[in-house]
Amino acid sequence: MAVEEKGPDDYTQDGTVDLKGNPVLRSKRGGWTACSFVVVYEVFERMAYYGISSNLVIYLTKKLHQGTVKSSNNVTNWVGTVWVTPLLGAYVADAHLGRYWTFVIASAIYLAVYLIYYTHGMSVLTLAVSVPGLKAPRCVDQNVENCKKASTLQLAVFYGALYTLAVGTGGTKPNISTIGADQFDDFEPKEKAQKLSFFNWWMFSIFFGTLFANTILVYIQDNVGWTLGYGLPTLGLAISVLIFLVGTPFYRHRVPSGSPFTRMAKVIVAALRKWTVPVPSDPKELYELDLEEYTKGGKFRIDSTPTLRFLNKACVQAGSTNPWMLCSVTQVEETKQMLRMIPILIATFIPSTMIAQINTLFVKQGTLLNRNLGSFKIPPASLTAFVTISMLICVVLYDQFFVRIVRRWTKNPRGITLLQRMGIGIVIHICIMTIASLTERHRLNVAKDHGLVENGKPVPLTIFILLPQFVLMGTADAFLEVAKLEFFYDQAPESMKSLGTSYAMITLGIGNFVSSFLLSTVSHITKEHGHHGWILNNLNASHLDYYYAFFALLSFLNFIFFLVMTKFYVYKAEVSDSMAVLTESLGGSTHRLANQEAQRT
């Protein structure tokens, strides 16, 4: 019986291979079949992560007896670390191990952390909230300042477990979404179309797992106990890793292409060393490798662009072939692509600072409102579920209706550009903080009218007055967070996708660190120069309304900065003609096809 030979079109064209480095058949690996394992993994992993982070500020207050500023800062510092460590994970993946093996090893650290604790990080966290000797002493005093503080050992075990988790997530977060996106071939129009929806459904899976954590797990932690409440996330994490590993036979993989930092450093150094060398007007005179060097390695060749023209000096042939003196046009353009995104990255820091308020000050507000719903008592952290619900609804409406309607006019397969989508999210953030300020002012007035300012007791207002700010935060995420993740992945060069994805993580990390800095600074300044500080342990005597108004102003100024940066941003050129094919199928004109191919809008 003759063996059917496979033609070149049966194999992926984007350089993806199997784990052994062999070319992969399009029909056997990748696509939504492979992505289903990745998406389901993320549901369980998000359940595990948010099962810890959602109620953490309440735990620090109730169990470790920390005040408002300290507990909020400890949460944002930890979350900031969680979102910054992906930079290291992205480097390891792109430079050395590849995304799959970096993810698997990081998951092992996430689960095992054998060398540090001889048991995995979440189990240590479970022990920290379960074993009497590792728990802080009980205290029923309303004022946490009068409670006996946790010992050094208790704090070391608890925070050691938390930051061990941060190390593990550094290798998983930037690579899991990138592995998912790698399952679609940019050179195949049908798969390219599917990839346009991937990040919407990726975020859908994240928030679906988050919804479970912010409802069921938060309720268990608040009403049943912290032992079971932290034990279930441990089980969820183990299940998530198992699901990912089961999907191994179906994944496509990209070969590591060397350190992205080293390649970018070579370009910058070479350009500086040839400071006085003129750049030829004809790009064909610049140094570039033969096309065969790229095609045989499954890599992408990029033509020279006029943006950041100074860096073109790195590929001017001036005698020396030292890699720190002469770089290829493609290498220079890869560096340009990563540098061009930095102003956009900076513009997302403030929105990420707003997001940090969800699990800190927003939740703390909820503890001072009426939480009774009949015989059921609502955990304050469960309000974050409305962020999730809002986001899930908005993502579905956006993907299924908004995009289909708007692209009839824009002729853009995405409906609107990624930066336009991000801009809408930033505007919503301004509205959120304005509404939060007005809501808090109303709460403080009611507290004053009922004589509850000094004793700091709950105010006779339903906790649901906070719903608008939580619901709008989910709406903002559907625009900003989804577009941000897709933008940094999409605009990164093919050999630096993990690094590009880590940009989306870094912005969340820096946003949390900025939140800690602002909270401490504002608290200190207002105590020093005012009769009462804006942020005290007693929120009824605080002025969170001023603090939120300050954030609204900061968000507005950041929006102006964002508009300026987007005006000068140039989308990278397509690596294939698949976007043009997609646009043509949607009825685009020849002129618009040429324009989209050039500007990637």
Side-chain angles (χ1 to χ4, degrees):
M1 182 177 178
V3 178
E4 182 183 357
E5 293 188 5
K6 300 295 182 181
D9 291 340
D10 296 319
Y11 292 90
T12 57
Q13 304 297 309
D14 59 356
T16 51
V17 296
D18 62 17
L19 274 178
K20 295 181 180 179
N22 301 315
V24 295
L25 286 170
R26 196 184 308 282
S27 60
K28 298 296 184 181
R29 292 173 179 263
W32 281 113
T33 300
C35 274
S36 62
F37 293 96
V38 175
V39 169
V40 173
Y41 158 86
E42 193 64 10
V43 172
F44 283 93
E45 196 277 334
R46 290 296 85 188
M47 181 193 78
Y49 171 73
Y50 283 103
I52 292 174
S53 63
S54 294
N55 225 5
L56 186 56
V57 71
I58 303 298
Y59 181 85
L60 295 177
T61 301
K62 287 185 175 181
K63 300 299 182 179
L64 298 185
H65 318 312
Q66 296 180 357
T68 300
V69 174
K70 186 174 183 179
S71 61
S72 297
N73 283 351
N74 280 333
V75 171
T76 51
N77 286 336
W78 173 67
V79 173
T81 304
V82 165
W83 291 112
V84 167
T85 52
L87 184 63
L88 176 61
Y91 163 75
V92 173
D94 284 341
H96 302 290
L97 300 180
R99 291 155 196 164
Y100 178 86
W101 288 115
T102 301
F103 174 85
V104 169
I105 293 172
S107 294
I109 296 174
Y110 207 172
L111 281 169
V113 198
Y114 180 79
L115 295 177
I116 303 177
Y117 294 111
Y118 295 95
T119 183
H120 64 71
M122 280 194 173
S123 287
V124 174
L125 191 61
T126 302
L127 290 173
V129 300
S130 307
V131 179
L134 300 180
K135 293 193 294 186
R138 290 177 58 85
C139 180
V140 295
D141 197 308
Q142 188 76 20
N143 187 352
V144 295
E145 293 180 355
N146 297 328
C147 297
K148 184 179 179 180
K149 304 303 179 184
S151 68
T152 302
L153 175 62
Q154 292 159 351
L155 292 175
V157 171
F158 185 78
Y159 286 115
L162 282 180
Y163 281 91
T164 298
L165 294 181
V167 172
T169 58
T172 58
K173 287 185 182 298
N175 292 305
I176 185 62
S177 60
T178 314
I179 289 172
D182 286 345
Q183 305 312 307
F184 303 100
D185 186 354
D186 277 335
F187 287 95
E188 209 286 319
K190 182 180 178 181
E191 291 193 14
K192 178 72 173 184
Q194 294 171 334
K195 192 179 199 176
L196 296 183
S197 294
F198 167 72
F199 286 104
N200 285 331
W201 293 106
W202 171 254
M203 292 298 291
F204 184 94
S205 70
I206 288 177
F207 280 86
F208 190 81
T210 305
L211 179 62
F212 180 87
N214 290 339
T215 52
I216 306 300
L217 288 181
V218 163
Y219 177 80
I220 291 173
Q221 292 168 354
D222 204 59
N223 294 278
V224 179
W226 296 96
T227 301
L228 181 61
Y230 277 166
L232 287 178
T234 302
L235 178 62
L237 181 63
I239 293 174
S240 69
V241 175
L242 179 62
I243 289 172
F244 175 83
L245 293 176
V246 169
T248 297
F250 302 97
Y251 299 143
R252 300 173 185 174
H253 307 275
R254 290 192 181 276
V255 179
S257 54
S259 168
F261 299 113
T262 301
R263 292 207 304 279
M264 289 191 290
K266 288 179 179 178
V267 170
I268 295 172
V269 170
L272 290 173
R273 293 176 71 178
K274 291 187 284 188
W275 180 279
T276 58
V277 176
V279 178
S281 57
D282 186 359
K284 294 181 180 179
E285 296 181 25
L286 299 175
Y287 173 71
E288 180 59 289
L289 302 177
D290 293 334
L291 183 60
E292 291 75 16
E293 293 292 326
Y294 294 101
T295 54
K296 70 181 182 182
K299 299 178 181 179
F300 298 91
R301 180 173 174 175
I302 309 174
D303 293 331
S304 180
T305 62
T307 60
L308 298 175
R309 184 176 170 82
F310 167 75
L311 293 178
N312 288 349
K313 293 178 181 291
C315 47
V316 174
Q317 303 185 67
S320 175
T321 59
N322 185 309
W324 290 91
M325 278 289 289
L326 182 64
C327 305
S328 67
V329 169
T330 295
Q331 187 177 343
V332 170
E333 290 303 316
E334 288 176 340
T335 303
K336 288 182 182 181
Q337 288 171 13
M338 297 306 297
L339 294 178
R340 279 201 301 260
M341 292 191 292
I342 290 179
I344 305 299
L345 174 69
I346 294 173
T348 61
F349 290 167
I350 297 302
S352 295
T353 304
M354 307 300 105
I355 294 173
Q357 311 313 307
I358 296 175
N359 291 324
T360 54
L361 295 179
F362 281 13
V363 171
K364 293 281 284 188
Q365 282 178 280
T367 62
L368 294 178
L369 291 166
N370 182 3
R371 299 188 283 134
N372 294 320
L373 188 63
S375 58
F376 179 76
K377 195 167 186 178
I378 303 170
S382 67
L383 284 183
T384 56
F386 289 95
V387 177
T388 306
I389 294 171
S390 173
M391 193 271 182
L392 291 175
I393 294 173
C394 288
V395 164
V396 174
L397 293 177
Y398 185 92
D399 192 65
Q400 297 299 312
F401 298 100
F402 179 83
V403 171
R404 295 181 181 182
I405 293 172
V406 173
R407 69 186 178 191
R408 294 176 183 174
W409 288 277
T410 64
K411 308 304 179 185
N412 185 332
R414 288 189 173 95
I416 56 178
T417 66
L418 294 174
L419 290 177
Q420 288 171 340
R421 186 174 180 179
M422 290 169 66
I424 294 173
I426 293 175
V427 170
I428 297 175
H429 273 287
I430 299 173
C431 299
I432 292 169
M433 301 317 295
T434 302
I435 291 173
S437 177
L438 296 175
T439 301
E440 178 63 7
R441 179 175 296 183
H442 175 59
R443 191 191 71 82
L444 292 175
N445 288 335
V446 174
K448 183 177 180 181
D449 293 341
H450 288 77
L452 301 174
V453 173
E454 298 301 326
N455 57 30
K457 291 184 177 180
V459 176
L461 286 172
T462 175
I463 195 172
F464 291 113
I465 67 168
L466 300 179
L467 270 188
Q469 61 203 59
F470 281 93
V471 171
L472 282 176
M473 192 67 80
T475 305
D477 284 349
F479 284 91
L480 177 58
E481 294 306 304
V482 176
K484 183 174 68 177
L485 179 61
E486 185 175 357
F487 173 82
F488 289 125
Y489 173 88
D490 182 81
Q491 293 297 294
E494 297 303 314
S495 60
M496 300 181 185
K497 290 296 187 184
S498 292
L499 181 59
T501 303
S502 73
Y503 273 21
M505 316 292 176
I506 292 170
T507 178
L508 290 171
I510 293 180
N512 276 272
F513 290 134
V514 171
S515 177
S516 295
F517 172 77
L518 290 177
L519 189 60
S520 298
T521 302
V522 170
S523 176
H524 175 73
I525 291 176
T526 54
K527 281 182 181 178
E528 289 291 324
H529 300 282
H531 181 65
H532 286 294
W534 284 7
I535 306 145
L536 306 171
N537 290 337
N538 178 3
L539 290 186
N540 288 350
S542 302
H543 267 297
L544 281 184
D545 55 333
Y546 295 168
Y547 190 58
Y548 290 156
F550 166 70
F551 271 153
L553 176 61
L554 201 59
S555 296
F556 175 76
L557 296 176
N558 181 72
F559 178 63
I560 302 300
F561 173 75
F562 176 79
L563 290 179
V564 174
M565 293 301 102
T566 55
K567 181 177 179 61
F568 295 101
Y569 186 80
V570 179
Y571 286 85
K572 77 169 188 177
E574 278 290 299
V575 296
S576 72
D577 63 353
S578 57
M579 282 295 285
V581 173
L582 286 173
T583 309
E584 186 175 30
S585 68
L586 294 170
S589 65
T590 303
H591 172 72
R592 186 171 293 278
L593 287 177
N595 185 56
Q596 283 191 330
E597 187 67 9
Q599 292 190 302
R600 186 72 183 279
T601 56

